Amino acid sequence: MHELKTLLVVLNPATTEQTALNKAVSIIRHTGGSITALLQTRTAEPELLTRLQEQLKQLRQSGLSITLRASDEKDLLRAVLLSLHEQQYNLIVKAPQPSGVADALFTSKDSKLLRTSSVPVLMVRSAQQTEGAPILAAVEAQPADQEHLHLNNCILKRARWIAGMFRQPLHLFSALPSPMQDPIHHHNNPQQQLQDYTEACLALAGRYDIPANQVHVASGPAELLIPDQCKALDAQLLVLGTVARTGLRGALLGNTAEQILERVDTNILVIPPTQD
């Protein structure tokens, strides 16, 4: 199901400028859904809490369904996961947290959320909706396993639904791994490999009614090429997937979605592998 009917919005307890909330409001004005606004009360100043409550009251008076969920949890991730456990949500909406010194040594809170969430996460940098701005779906055109194949379908189904809902053009991008990135599947003829990969992209795009002139392929690291493509298209939204990694491998490598998060200025919708 792709309907965005129940949204969990993570409020920022340090500011009255709630970008994630503003974006969620624009979404449910289209979908007719409801919002649960999650606030960590431990770190929220009383004056700010009062302002937020007044803001939510005004939104309810305008006809929107919004409730405030106050959490005294110290750990934000735990507060989000408890909310997910107690109620089903279609989407988590959150503004990215600025990177700090600790994030260079340890996994950031945003990365932990992307790894553990069982529902899509929308990371919001801007609440503005630009009419006609494209949506970019990033996939692996030749997935090596069923998990990535399933994830491709989840990404494209979700991206196509959003593009239709907001009447925006949908583009597809896929990065062909270079020989150094994927020596096992290295082809003796790089030009033929690129041609085969492009044909796979076009076939995938065709199944989701994406025109050939809106399909983009490049060779190299996805974490570098996807941000470049976003900038070239001036994309409104980037839709991509995440394959959860835990333990030492996760700490050292992360995944493409996490690496891209710091490299793009656009909003990012991250689809977990558990999505139908």
Side-chain angles (χ1 to χ4, degrees):
M1 182 179 72
H2 307 302
E3 294 183 352
L4 303 177
K5 290 292 187 180
T6 53
L7 280 58
L8 178 65
V9 179
V10 181
L11 297 178
N12 186 341
T15 178
T16 56
E17 182 59 36
Q18 298 295 330
T19 306
L21 177 62
N22 294 338
K23 186 62 179 179
V25 166
S26 71
I27 291 173
I28 67 167
R29 288 194 189 279
H30 279 81
T31 65
S34 63
I35 292 174
T36 298
L38 175 65
L39 178 68
Q40 285 179 288
T41 54
R42 281 194 179 193
T43 53
E45 296 292 335
E47 182 180 350
L48 177 60
L49 181 57
T50 301
R51 291 182 182 179
L52 285 171
Q53 289 173 328
E54 180 60 29
Q55 183 180 0
L56 296 180
K57 180 182 177 180
Q58 291 175 1
L59 289 170
R60 285 193 292 268
Q61 289 174 343
S62 71
L64 299 179
S65 174
I66 301 180
T67 57
L68 176 64
R69 178 185 173 94
S71 172
D72 62 357
E73 290 289 340
K74 183 178 180 181
D75 182 71
L76 176 60
L77 180 60
R78 177 173 169 79
V80 172
L81 294 180
L82 284 174
S83 299
L84 291 178
H85 178 72
E86 295 176 11
Q87 182 176 336
Q88 289 188 339
Y89 295 98
N90 300 134
L91 180 69
I92 297 173
V93 186
K94 183 183 182 299
Q97 183 177 16
S99 298
V101 176
D103 293 332
L105 302 174
F106 306 100
T107 305
S108 71
K109 292 180 180 179
D110 285 343
S111 293
K112 288 179 181 178
L113 175 60
L114 296 182
R115 294 183 191 187
T116 55
S117 175
S118 59
V119 300
V121 179
L122 176 62
M123 289 292 184
V124 182
R125 296 189 183 278
S126 172
Q128 293 183 347
Q129 185 75 22
T130 304
E131 185 176 353
I135 293 173
L136 180 63
V139 298
E140 292 188 32
Q142 293 178 327
D145 51 58
Q146 286 298 315
E147 184 178 29
H148 283 87
L149 179 64
H150 175 66
L151 192 56
N152 276 353
N153 292 326
C154 293
I155 292 167
L156 290 169
K157 286 178 182 178
R158 176 74 65 169
R160 184 176 64 177
W161 185 87
I162 295 172
M165 169 67 70
F166 293 96
R167 298 181 180 179
Q168 295 172 281
L170 176 59
H171 290 242
L172 180 149
F173 177 80
S174 191
L176 169 65
S178 66
M180 291 186 65
Q181 292 175 280
D182 189 11
I184 296 177
H185 298 96
H186 175 52
H187 201 286
N188 290 329
N189 187 335
Q191 281 192 324
Q192 184 63 48
Q193 184 182 27
L194 180 59
Q195 181 179 333
D196 293 344
Y197 197 82
T198 301
E199 289 177 357
C201 284
L202 291 170
L204 184 60
R207 291 200 290 272
Y208 291 91
D209 301 319
I210 302 174
N213 65 347
Q214 292 172 199
V215 175
H216 313 275
V217 181
S219 180
E223 62 272 17
L224 299 180
L225 294 174
I226 292 174
D228 287 346
Q229 191 64 53
C230 279
K231 186 175 181 179
L233 291 174
D234 196 16
Q236 174 86 25
L237 175 69
L238 169 64
V239 185
L240 73 171
T242 181
V243 177
R245 284 177 174 154
T246 58
L248 181 60
R249 185 166 183 256
L252 293 176
L253 297 179
N255 61 51
T256 302
E258 295 170 24
Q259 295 177 61
I260 288 174
L261 191 59
E262 293 294 327
R263 293 189 171 110
V264 298
D265 295 325
T266 189
N267 297 338
I268 304 178
L269 177 62
V270 182
I271 310 295
T274 55
Q275 282 288 290
D276 293 329

